[in-house]
Amino acid sequence: MGLNKTIIIRGGGDLATGTISCLHQCGYQVLVLEIAKPTAIRRSVAFSEAMYDGETEVEGIKARKITQFSEAEACWQDGVIPIICDEKAEAVKAVPHFAFVDAAIAKRNLGTTIDMADFVIGLGPGFTAGVDVDVVIETKRGHRLGRIIREGQAIANTGIPGIIGGYGKERVIHSENAGVFHGIAHIGDLVKKGDLIAKVDDAPVYATLDGVLRGILRDGLPVPEHFKIADIDPRLSERENCFTISDKARAIAGGVLQAICIYENGLRSGEGRK
């Protein structure tokens, strides 16, 4: 078949990690682009943590920070996912690839264009299929989660988190002020409503409901006002879920993989981008 098997992915947060893991296990060579200081909340299942620690592991798969694009090949040979600081996506010019996936989940387009690869995918709101990407993958919880959109856009961002265990906006905690974040509780901790879980400078941050601390920002990062800093899962029996890729991330990954397989099958049939 002789197809290029390299895919560049922008973003290494928890939702992106579902896609990265899936494509890696399906035999693709994945290169992840990140910012210097990622702000993932579900850090235990985010490959972006390698930007701080040099290397991280999610469900038995390792990601390793590199500083030069030329180092990616050695990672692939070792069965490790390379991740590099590349906010402007310079890798598009430097690394041969056939697909580009914007998985930053920024709810807006950070500069992705349809000419960045033979096949370009955008996850969630901010992209228009057929204009700045080839297809969009729906990221909103519900009946359409993971669907491939070939025309138009994903469902607009409502700013309201999806419902888990009967809770939506209550389970996600935002900073009330700007400052430096100081974590007190840890991912996987059982917390009760009113427990002190962190501080932003000297301002206390309290748990908003009883549950399992599913995610919390890395200690020492500066945050602006109303920045997402923690996530509580009200399902007390689901502690182990804090350390595995979520159902949502897997559904999105399935949509990405399906879109890529459809594209590759089209190539074999002599079809290309319309």
Side-chain angles (χ1 to χ4, degrees):
M1 295 181 293
L3 294 177
N4 184 311
K5 302 296 287 185
T6 301
I7 301 173
I8 296 175
I9 299 184
R10 188 202 298 272
D14 65 294
L15 293 182
T17 293
T19 291
I20 296 163
S21 173
C22 173
L23 295 178
H24 169 79
Q25 292 182 84
C26 288
Y28 294 96
Q29 295 182 157
V30 180
L31 172 63
V32 182
L33 314 183
E34 255 297 352
I35 61 175
K37 293 184 177 181
T39 56
I41 301 298
R42 295 203 63 216
R43 295 179 288 110
S44 58
V45 288
F47 286 132
S48 58
E49 284 296 283
M51 295 301 295
Y52 296 102
D53 300 331
E55 190 169 285
T56 195
E57 184 174 321
V58 177
E59 295 191 7
I61 299 173
K62 292 182 179 180
R64 181 180 300 153
K65 180 182 178 180
I66 61 175
T67 57
Q68 303 290 333
F69 296 129
S70 59
E71 299 173 55
E73 186 64 42
C75 288
W76 293 328
Q77 291 179 1
D78 290 344
V80 174
I81 297 165
I83 181 169
I84 190 168
C85 180
D86 185 13
E87 296 187 32
K88 296 183 179 180
E90 298 293 341
V92 168
K93 303 173 185 176
V95 180
H97 61 288
F98 80 95
F100 182 91
V101 182
D102 191 322
I105 320 289
K107 314 296 173 62
R108 59 189 178 90
N109 191 331
L110 298 176
T112 294
T113 59
I114 202 168
D115 61 355
M116 294 177 80
D118 292 338
F119 190 57
V120 180
I121 301 173
L123 305 191
F127 308 99
T128 303
V131 178
D132 47 10
V133 296
D134 288 286
V135 300
V136 175
I137 305 299
E138 182 58 66
T139 58
K140 181 176 175 57
R141 287 186 185 274
H143 184 70
R144 295 182 57 82
L145 177 62
R147 287 181 181 267
I148 300 170
I149 301 167
R150 294 182 173 83
E151 292 183 4
Q153 302 179 345
I155 297 170
N157 179 34
T158 62
I160 301 174
I163 301 297
I164 293 180
Y167 294 90
K169 63 180 181 180
E170 304 96 332
R171 66 180 180 82
V172 178
I173 302 173
H174 296 82
S175 58
E176 293 187 358
N177 58 288
V180 177
F181 180 81
H182 301 284
I184 295 172
H186 302 89
I187 293 174
D189 285 357
L190 297 178
V191 298
K192 290 188 174 296
K193 183 177 180 179
D195 283 354
L196 179 67
I197 62 170
K199 291 184 177 182
V200 178
D201 282 346
D202 293 325
V205 177
Y206 300 108
T208 50
L209 49 83
D210 296 355
V212 180
L213 193 60
R214 186 167 175 250
I216 190 166
L217 193 66
R218 174 176 278 265
D219 193 61
L221 289 177
V223 299
E225 183 180 0
H226 200 65
F227 192 77
K228 183 178 177 181
I229 54 177
D231 181 356
I232 298 174
D233 189 333
R235 300 168 297 183
L236 292 173
S237 62
E238 304 294 334
R239 182 181 182 276
E240 65 274 13
N241 290 358
C242 297
F243 308 101
T244 55
I245 296 169
S246 70
D247 55 344
K248 180 177 180 179
R250 292 186 186 280
I252 294 168
V256 173
L257 177 61
Q258 181 183 5
I260 288 172
C261 288
I262 291 170
Y263 169 76
E264 289 190 315
N265 285 334
L267 287 185
R268 296 184 185 98
S269 302
E271 299 176 7
R273 179 180 285 151
K274 295 290 190 278

